Amino acid sequence: SLTSARSAPASGVEIRVLSNRADLVSDGDALVEIVRPAGTNPDSVRVELDGQDIVGDFALRPDGRFVGLVDGLDEGENHLTAAVHQRTARLTITDHPIGGPIFSGPHLRPWLCTTGANGLGAPVDAQCNAPTKVEFFYQPQGGGALQPYDPANPPGNVATTTTDEGETVPFIVRRERGTLDRGIYDVAVLFDPDEPWQPWEPQSGWNGKVVWPFGAAAGTVHSQGSPVSVLTAQRLGEGFMVATHSLNVHNSNLNTVVSAESVMMLKERIVERYGEIRYTFAQGLSGGSIQQHEIANAYPGLLDGIQP
């Protein structure tokens, strides 16, 4: 099951990787919680990564947990140690390259990079990685399609929306587009550019839930391809994050193992950048329906519900 890994309890201290299973992380970082024995002072916690003190990356967060984003992981095994007084826990975190593979096996070749066609510029390596791009959109008052939004010159007709959690916020959407697992991902969510956002303290516009559209049809094109649209005004306005990956498009990629791997890797990135996910449910038809059934069946923990 692809769920959060935990170290074995060691005299009341635990290390929990929140963003993925500890042996499956990628891109050199992981969101980690240190569980302290009841009643102990957080100032007494010590955290080391391969012998180097990293406790400065951790703090007592607003929800009362001692959480930090551990970065600088080397590819391969990394040894994390947490100690509170004389009680110690240890966990090995295995990091993989952002371009994959993690569990999908040797990469298919040849492989065509499409970062330029998707607005990310030229690829920087053979894994088709490229710099991440962030854009903003908004819904005008009175409704209609989402329009480009410039935080430096905001329009005066931005609508508001009330999420399914009862939070009323500006209808401004942040779309992050980037590369991982040799494909291209999109993540969109309600976002106020004037407000802070940390993975342990998300903005109130996100309800903690993710909608994951899968693309239809069938084909293998040996290419990054393009993700389906995540600018779904209804779901975004309700507070859902909408996320997907170009290798979740069945018309580009028939390999369900690769499709599942890209879901796992992108979910990890979401948790590390935006916060923990309450649940993820999929949608899509035809080839998108096939992927939902197969991923939910073979990789428990990636999709909590499907809408084929």
Side-chain angles (χ1 to χ4, degrees), residues 26 97-102 104 107 111-112 114-115 118 120 127-130 175-188 210-216 223-231 241-270 280 282-283 287-288 291 295 302-303:
S26 60
I98 189 61
I102 297 180
S104 63
H107 278 148
W111 195 253
L112 175 66
T114 60
T115 52
N118 284 278
L120 297 179
Q127 304 290 78
C128 294
N129 290 309
R175 185 181 71 183
E176 174 187 334
R177 172 168 289 180
T179 54
L180 56 78
D181 211 19
R182 295 204 307 170
I184 296 171
Y185 71 84
D186 275 350
V187 175
V210 180
V211 178
W212 207 287
F214 285 81
S223 165
Q224 278 185 304
S226 301
V228 299
S229 177
V230 294
L231 297 180
M241 175 181 287
V242 185
T244 194
H245 190 276
S246 61
L247 299 183
N248 302 144
V249 179
H250 206 240
N251 198 37
S252 299
N253 170 48
L254 293 176
N255 189 324
T256 305
V257 179
V258 173
S259 182
E261 181 179 73
S262 66
V263 171
M264 180 194 72
M265 293 178 71
L266 181 50
K267 286 187 68 174
E268 178 189 338
R269 181 173 181 87
I270 289 169
T280 303
Q283 63 185 38
Q291 290 179 87
I295 291 173
L302 289 183
L303 302 176

Side-chain angles (χ1 to χ4, degrees), residues 143-191:
L146 297 179
Q147 304 295 320
Y149 176 92
D150 181 2
N153 186 26
N157 65 333
V158 178
T160 60
T161 185
T162 301
T163 72
D164 66 356
E165 299 291 317
E167 300 285 347
T168 299
V169 297
F171 204 140
I172 302 170
V173 173
R174 180 187 194 270
R175 185 181 71 183
E176 174 187 334
R177 172 168 289 180
T179 54
L180 56 78
D181 211 19
R182 295 204 307 170
I184 296 171
Y185 71 84
D186 275 350
V187 175
V189 67
L190 288 172
F191 190 98

